[in-house]
Amino acid sequence: MRIITGKYKGRHFDIPRSFKARPTTDFAKENIFNVLSHHIDFEDATALDLFSGTGSITLELLSRGCSHVISVEADRDHHRFIQDCLKKLDTNDAIPLRGDVFRFVKSCKQQFDFIFADPPYALKELPTIPDLIFEKGLLKEGGVFVFEHGKDYDFSAHPHFAEHRSYGSVNFTLFT
């Protein structure tokens, strides 16, 4: 896993082979961040990374200048890996939380400039996540929510739908 651009550009982190996480590919990550550069200025933005997995998106957000990133990951080993990566970067701008994303979202009182969610594609609650984000008011006015999902989902009828991008088997829906 590598950081694409920003102050930590080119830093590599070796993901243990035992991990169950499916990290967003460098190709897909680079392309979606190119699209996002037209929608949001990451410098000093606050961000939320849900279903953080390896922490790849959290690290990319920090590298691009986000002032504060909360990452939420349920798996103990993945959470520990994210903590280790943050220690290697020697940054205190991220809070890696270990816990259930749905519980976190339901109790969160903070708003974010940017939200990224990459749930397991087979998660039965996957289609409910965009509604939950907006019902709980987690996205600031003018903010962007990026939802990574499999090809079987279409969110174009959602009232906050902005656009859809596909890179191979990786699909991103942007909401505003």
Side-chain angles (χ1 to χ4, degrees), residues 27-155:
F27 175 76
K29 184 168 64 170
E30 186 169 11
N31 279 290
I32 195 61
F33 272 97
N34 285 340
V35 169
L36 289 169
S37 68
H38 302 289
H39 292 277
I40 188 168
D41 179 8
F42 289 106
E43 194 67 35
D44 295 323
T46 57
L48 176 61
D49 181 11
L50 300 172
F51 305 96
S52 299
T54 61
S56 173
I57 299 299
T58 292
L59 300 176
E60 192 69 39
L61 291 166
L62 290 170
S63 186
R64 291 170 185 260
C66 282
S67 63
H68 183 71
V69 180
I70 295 176
S71 68
V72 184
E73 173 55 45
D75 184 276
R76 181 192 67 222
D77 294 333
H78 296 186
H79 175 257
R80 188 175 304 124
F81 179 77
I82 295 167
Q83 287 179 310
D84 291 345
C85 291
L86 292 169
K87 283 180 191 163
K88 289 176 184 172
L89 294 180
D90 193 28
T91 180
N92 293 320
D93 296 332
I95 299 173
L97 300 176
R98 181 172 169 240
D100 179 80
V101 165
F102 294 98
R103 279 191 183 152
F104 174 83
V105 168
K106 288 176 182 172
S107 66
C108 183
K109 304 293 184 221
Q110 189 174 349
Q111 287 190 313
F112 302 89
D113 298 300
F114 179 75
I115 300 173
F116 187 92
D118 180 11
Y121 288 1
L123 185 71
K124 68 179 171 121
E125 298 93 349
L126 186 145
T128 68
I129 294 171
D131 285 338
L132 187 60
I133 296 295
F134 288 101
E135 285 168 9
K136 294 299 178 183
L138 298 184
L139 192 65
K140 287 182 182 176
E141 184 74 32
V144 177
F145 167 41
V146 174
F147 191 45
E148 183 174 336
H149 55 85
K151 64 180 175 17
D152 298 332
Y153 295 97
D154 177 6
F155 296 96

Side-chain angles (χ1 to χ4, degrees), residues 1-2 12-26 29 52-57 59 77-78 81-82 85 88:
M1 171 178 83
R2 76 181 169 95
H12 286 265
F13 298 91
D14 293 325
I15 300 168
R17 293 192 189 280
S18 61
F19 271 25
K20 301 171 283 228
R22 166 202 32 79
T24 303
T25 65
D26 284 351
K29 184 168 64 170
S52 299
T54 61
S56 173
I57 299 299
L59 300 176
D77 294 333
H78 296 186
F81 179 77
I82 295 167
C85 291
K88 289 176 184 172

